[in-house]
Amino acid sequence: MADDKQEIELMALLQDEKQKSKAFNQVVLKYQQQLYWQIRKMVLNHDDANDVLQNAFIKAWNAIDSFRGESKLSTWLYRIAVNESLTFLSKQRTLHIGDDLEDVMINKLEADSYFDGDELQLKLQKAILTLPEKQRLVFNMKYFDDMKYEEMEAILGTSVGALKASYHLAVKKIEAFFEEEKTL
Amino acid sequence: MSKNKPFKLDEINKKSPFKVPDNYFDDFAKNMQHQIEDEPHAIVIPFMTRIRPYLYVAASLLIIFSITFVALNTSEKEENVYAKKNSDSIITPSTQVASTSTVSDELVEDYYSLDDEELFNEVFDEEFDQI
């Protein structure tokens, strides 16, 4: 409830030309971490996540006048961050034609000084990369952030039933990946 | 991870394996504030685009160093072959410098136009004459 009140106040400030940039800075401060981690789990590398996060906030800033509050501000920002992540990955796929983008990403992650996962955590990232991009989003939101399906529905525009099925399938695929690795 | 039991996701440490640089979020917010205030329609320059000019410079330097290295190596090898063939008359670097400083341009050109065999014959003949 406190969050809703704060969001209403922020929205009022964002509509005031004189207060707009200050209010947007508050938006950045409030949501940067949630959005960063969401993006980071998709692009894996810190430098790439930083670029995508900046892009997401700049898109939000440029479109803030058209935001009418039909959804929660956080949902709207998440949607922008998700779109920016998917756009980034699609550009990377075009840039690395002929290579397996997932292999490129894992290599980059292994070289990333801002990743200190153990062997199993690295293997989990490899397993997650075998999922289709939208299923990766669903898995990350549920498994790591324990996000409510209703919230995910608002961000991804997919029904709760489909999201539950997608998550269940993602878990099965990941467990199967680990089982297969055992036999190697 | 047990080999016999079927694998379950709970076996993995759920703690995030990702980190960020120190003060990253403080700096990020400040940077965003500047971008918005300075340029209302700012564009993010991607990391690869930012470092591309440096990569070009690094690649050019690498090529120049490689060429220099190969050239130096080749001339050193030629010198070694020459020295080996003339093991009876050892020429020290100091005598080489002294002699090259007194030779004319024409002689230098002639020297470089000779191939290994001609060079060997010439030196051999000179030494033979001196005996």
Side-chain angles (χ1 to χ4, degrees), chain A residues 16-74:
Chain A
D16 180 348
E17 278 303 317
K18 282 180 190 164
Q19 309 270 359
K20 201 170 150 185
S21 74
K22 249 189 187 171
F24 193 77
N25 192 40
Q26 285 185 47
V27 172
V28 173
L29 284 168
K30 188 166 165 29
Y31 295 107
Q32 59 176 351
Q33 296 210 26
Q34 299 168 43
L35 299 185
Y36 172 86
W37 293 118
Q38 202 55 55
I39 293 166
R40 178 77 185 268
K41 277 177 255 165
M42 284 305 284
V43 303
L44 304 187
N45 172 275
H46 167 71
D47 289 321
D48 294 338
N50 179 51
D51 285 344
V52 176
L53 183 64
Q54 280 191 63
N55 264 333
F57 274 121
I58 285 167
K59 287 254 164 83
W61 169 248
N62 291 338
I64 199 79
D65 292 336
S66 61
F67 177 65
R68 297 272 168 264
E70 288 97 353
S71 62
K72 278 167 75 179
L73 183 62
S74 59

Side-chain angles (χ1 to χ4, degrees), chain A residues 73-172:
Chain A
L73 183 62
S74 59
T75 306
W76 183 69
L77 289 169
Y78 258 107
R79 240 182 260 154
I80 296 174
V82 163
N83 282 340
E84 283 303 308
S85 304
L86 296 178
T87 307
F88 172 84
L89 291 174
S90 143
K91 280 184 189 164
Q92 289 293 304
R93 220 171 277 285
T94 330
L95 272 175
H96 292 96
I97 273 183
D99 294 322
D100 190 352
L101 178 63
E102 285 66 34
D103 285 345
V104 174
M105 288 172 75
I106 279 293
N107 290 340
K108 257 174 119 176
L109 180 66
E110 281 172 310
D112 190 347
S113 51
Y114 299 111
F115 177 79
D116 67 353
D118 58 26
E119 204 188 322
L120 272 182
Q121 287 172 315
L122 182 66
K123 210 181 264 183
L124 176 61
Q125 289 305 318
K126 285 183 189 170
I128 295 171
L129 277 173
T130 63
L131 305 174
E133 276 162 9
K134 289 204 175 135
Q135 199 165 33
R136 278 171 60 199
L137 278 168
V138 175
F139 181 81
N140 287 339
M141 285 173 170
K142 194 69 202 165
Y143 179 75
F144 290 109
D145 303 338
D146 203 17
M147 197 184 270
K148 286 180 185 156
Y149 282 114
E150 288 72 21
E151 212 177 324
M152 286 161 68
E153 182 183 32
I155 296 165
L156 302 172
T158 309
S159 71
V160 169
L163 288 169
K164 280 182 182 172
S166 180
Y167 178 70
H168 182 71
L169 196 60
V171 172
K172 291 274 162 227

Side-chain angles (χ1 to χ4, degrees), chain A residues 21-22 24-25 28-29 32-33 36-37 40-41 44 46-47 50-51 53-55 57-58 61-62 109 113-118 120-121 123-125 139 143-144 171-172 174-175 178-179 182, chain B residues 1-22 24-26 28-33 35-37 39-48 50 52:
Chain A
S21 74
K22 249 189 187 171
F24 193 77
N25 192 40
V28 173
L29 284 168
Q32 59 176 351
Q33 296 210 26
Y36 172 86
W37 293 118
R40 178 77 185 268
K41 277 177 255 165
L44 304 187
H46 167 71
D47 289 321
N50 179 51
D51 285 344
L53 183 64
Q54 280 191 63
N55 264 333
F57 274 121
I58 285 167
W61 169 248
N62 291 338
L109 180 66
S113 51
Y114 299 111
F115 177 79
D116 67 353
D118 58 26
L120 272 182
Q121 287 172 315
K123 210 181 264 183
L124 176 61
Q125 289 305 318
F139 181 81
Y143 179 75
F144 290 109
V171 172
K172 291 274 162 227
I174 288 169
E175 287 178 344
F178 275 86
E179 282 298 321
K182 264 195 216 174
Chain B
M1 197 164 66
S2 159
K3 285 233 170 195
N4 303 322
K5 273 196 298 177
F7 173 79
K8 288 283 157 207
L9 259 181
D10 321 340
E11 293 178 35
I12 300 175
N13 182 0
K14 230 178 171 182
K15 191 178 156 257
S16 175
F18 300 109
K19 294 186 298 177
V20 289
D22 292 339
Y24 169 68
F25 290 112
D26 290 342
F28 181 86
K30 279 180 203 152
N31 181 31
M32 277 310 301
Q33 182 71 4
Q35 283 197 53
I36 285 160
E37 280 170 1
E39 290 178 60
H41 295 284
I43 299 160
V44 176
I45 304 167
F47 178 68
M48 275 312 288
R50 281 201 308 268
R52 192 163 290 146

